[in-house]
């Protein structure tokens, strides 16, 4: 603000510190304003270097993006557009490579292929003869971008599937995509790298996964998703146990991806029997007879599940119920059917010790019959074997053969 002298206000020390085009406006209370024509303010003499934008972090082995720019500036930081000064870039610690000396164009030296081959933290220094140097803020050089997931977990048709793909190196955040088609129905890959869905078809489905980091670097990897047929419950353990007799039978499943894991969801096993969670085998020695209900579930490697309600029938222990034999008479036809209970019929009978009375025979069906030819008391041992052929019960029998009839 200046007071006019003889009607003229003189501004003798007006200064612009920033280059550009300006207009001046003069104002005074009660008077109409006046605006000048445009005034061009040029940069001063080149005196220093500066980074208009700090260099971005990068990845080892890849050019820094965006390209690093260095300005030739005057004392007030204005770009000296007429400068063609040669500018040289170096790093602390050493390690920067590429074209390290560039002539400025319109006052800006652009380094388009600077690269670090070793990870770490660095600063860049720009220098030019006769100008004050400039040093950048610290930048981080990360390891090269790579996909860390080398294989995919198996999937099962109609069972939910989910797996997170992972990467290392590069600059976060990552963005994931599939290169080319991916034909596994029901499965998609999110931009965060989550491969998920419920596959509706079995088969081997190959695709190429791509990850892109924040600097634009990419890494690709071919992967295959193996989708097994749907897991189904095939068979319950056999319902043929006998009290006191060793038992072993397994539940079975089909489809899915091995191995299976087995559990009991509901109900209980007969006392004395246990489930092997790895094989589905039910083993042990039953201690009680009856029908026992239990629901079994198989889970495959991919997490698919199949279950079935099963009934295990445990028969009583095998025993001979015929307590005594009726007396017989010489020369008179004789017959008696031996009886047993428990176990699993049909039964097979046999003489295991002693001698039957002359004239009598024991059929495998347990019928003792014939016509006695000799009197006396006769002792012998008979045994019965059930259908499993694993259980035999014997009993000593005595009978009196009379001479009368």
């Amino acid at each position: 603000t200046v007071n006019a002298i003889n009607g003229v206000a003189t501004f003798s020390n007006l200064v612009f510190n920033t280059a550009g085009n300006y207009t001046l406006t003069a104002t005074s209370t009660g008077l109409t304003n006046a605006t000048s024509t445009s005034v061009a303010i040029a940069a001063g003499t080149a005196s220093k270097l500066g980074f208009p934008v700090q260099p971005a972090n990068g990845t080892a082995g890849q050019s820094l993006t965006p390209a690093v720019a260095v300005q030739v500036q005057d004392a007030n930081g204005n770009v000296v557009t007429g400068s063609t000064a040669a500018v040289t870039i170096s790093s602390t610690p050493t390690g920067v490579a590429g074209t390290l000396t560039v002539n400025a164009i319109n006052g800006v030296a652009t380094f388009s292929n600077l690269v670090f081959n070793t990870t770490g933290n660095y600063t860049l220094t720009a220098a030019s003869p006769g100008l004050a140097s400039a040093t950048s803020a610290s930048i981080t050089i990360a390891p090269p971008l790579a996909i860390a997931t080398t294989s995919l977990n198996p999937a099962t048709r109609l069972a939910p599937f989910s797996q997170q793909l992972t990467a290392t190196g590069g600059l976060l955040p990552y963005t994931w995509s599939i290169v080319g088609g991916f034909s596994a129905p029901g499965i998609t890959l999110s931009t965060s790298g989550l491969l998920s869905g419920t596959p509706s078809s079995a088969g081997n489905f190959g695709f190429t996964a791509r990850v892109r980091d924040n600097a634009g670097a990419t890494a690709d990897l071919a992967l295959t998703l193996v989708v097994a047929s749907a897991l189904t419950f095939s068979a319950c353990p056999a319902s043929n146990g006998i009290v006191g007799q060793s038992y072993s039978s397994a539940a079975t499943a089909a489809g899915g991806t091995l191995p299976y894991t087995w559990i009991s969801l509901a109900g209980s096993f007969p006392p004395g029997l246990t489930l092997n969670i790895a094989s589905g085998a039910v083993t042990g020695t039953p201690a009680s007879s009856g029908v026992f209900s239990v629901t079994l579930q198989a889970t495959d490697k991919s997490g698919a599940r199949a279950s079935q309600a099963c009934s295990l029938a445990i028969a009583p222990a095998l025993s001979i119920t015929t307590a005594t034999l009726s007396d017989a008479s010489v020369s008179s036809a004789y017959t008696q059917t031996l009886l047993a209970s428990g176990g699993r019929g049909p039964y097979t009978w046999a003489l295991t010790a002693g001698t039957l009375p002359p004239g009598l025979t024991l059929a495998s069906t347990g019928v003792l019959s014939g016509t006695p030819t000799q009197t006396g008391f006769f002792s012998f041992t008979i045994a019965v074997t059930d259908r499993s052929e694993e259980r035999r019960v014997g009993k000593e029998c005595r009978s009196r053969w009379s001479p009368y009839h």
Side-chain angles (χ1 to χ4, degrees):
T1 298
V2 172
N3 291 322
I5 299 176
N6 297 323
V8 178
T10 303
F11 298 84
S12 59
N13 61 349
L14 295 182
V15 174
F16 288 92
N17 291 318
T18 302
N21 295 316
Y22 299 87
T23 59
L24 298 177
T25 300
T27 63
S28 182
T29 303
L31 300 178
T32 302
N33 296 343
T35 299
S36 74
T37 58
S38 181
V39 177
I41 303 299
T45 303
S47 64
K48 64 180 182 178
L49 300 175
F51 291 94
V53 177
Q54 290 297 319
N57 295 329
T59 301
Q62 297 184 359
S63 296
L64 294 181
T65 303
V68 175
V70 177
Q71 293 178 341
V72 178
Q73 300 173 347
D74 64 12
N76 292 313
N78 298 301
V79 180
V80 181
T81 57
S83 175
T84 59
V87 179
T88 300
I89 285 285
S90 62
S91 69
T92 303
T94 60
V96 68
T99 302
L100 301 182
T101 299
V102 172
N103 288 323
I105 299 176
N106 296 325
V108 178
T110 302
F111 298 84
S112 59
N113 64 350
L114 297 183
V115 63
F116 289 90
N117 292 314
T118 304
T119 61
N121 295 317
Y122 298 86
T123 58
L124 296 177
T125 297
S128 184
L131 301 177
S133 62
T135 299
S136 74
S138 178
I139 62 173
T140 298
I141 303 301
L145 180 65
I147 295 178
T149 301
T150 57
S151 62
L152 297 177
N153 297 328
T156 300
R157 178 177 173 267
L158 303 181
F161 173 84
S162 179
Q163 184 173 353
Q164 178 66 49
L165 304 186
T166 59
T168 59
L171 301 175
L172 295 174
Y174 301 140
T175 301
W176 292 83
S177 62
I178 290 177
V179 181
F182 181 45
S183 58
I187 298 294
T188 59
L189 178 65
S190 71
T191 56
S192 64
L194 181 65
L195 189 68
S196 63
T198 300
S200 58
S201 298
N204 295 342
F205 302 94
F207 65 100
T208 298
R210 171 171 290 174
V211 62
R212 183 183 300 274
D213 73 358
N214 198 40
T218 61
D220 294 348
L221 183 67
L223 296 169
T224 298
L225 178 64
V226 178
V227 181
S229 57
L231 179 66
T232 58
F233 198 105
S234 300
C236 291
S239 185
N240 62 355
I242 300 171
V243 171
Q245 182 174 329
S246 178
Y247 173 91
S248 179
S249 182
T252 57
T257 303
L258 294 174
Y260 302 142
T261 301
W262 296 85
I263 61 172
S264 170
L265 293 178
S268 60
F269 288 102
L273 299 187
T274 57
L275 172 67
N276 185 307
I277 63 173
S279 66
V282 179
T283 59
T285 301
S288 300
S289 61
V291 178
F292 300 84
S293 297
V294 61
T295 299
L296 299 179
Q297 176 179 277
T299 303
D300 76 351
K301 187 177 181 180
S302 69
R305 296 177 175 85
S307 61
Q308 179 70 46
C310 300
S311 293
L312 302 181
I314 305 298
L318 179 62
S319 64
I320 296 174
T321 58
T322 299
T324 60
L325 297 177
S326 60
D327 292 340
S329 298
V330 173
S331 301
S332 295
Y334 177 87
T335 182
Q336 183 170 349
T337 299
L338 305 179
L339 301 176
S341 65
R344 297 288 176 185
Y347 304 133
T348 301
W349 296 82
L351 177 70
T352 58
T355 303
L356 295 175
L360 297 186
T361 59
L362 176 63
S364 62
T365 57
V367 177
L368 182 64
S369 63
T371 302
T373 61
Q374 183 179 333
T375 61
F377 288 92
F378 299 90
S379 295
F380 51 89
T381 301
I382 57 174
V384 63
T385 304
D386 70 1
R387 180 176 59 188
S388 69
E389 297 184 352
E390 295 181 356
R391 181 71 171 170
R392 174 178 290 186
V393 175
K395 185 169 187 177
E396 182 180 2
C397 300
R398 295 179 180 177
S399 183
R400 182 179 68 174
W401 275 201
S402 170
Y404 306 105
H405 61 276

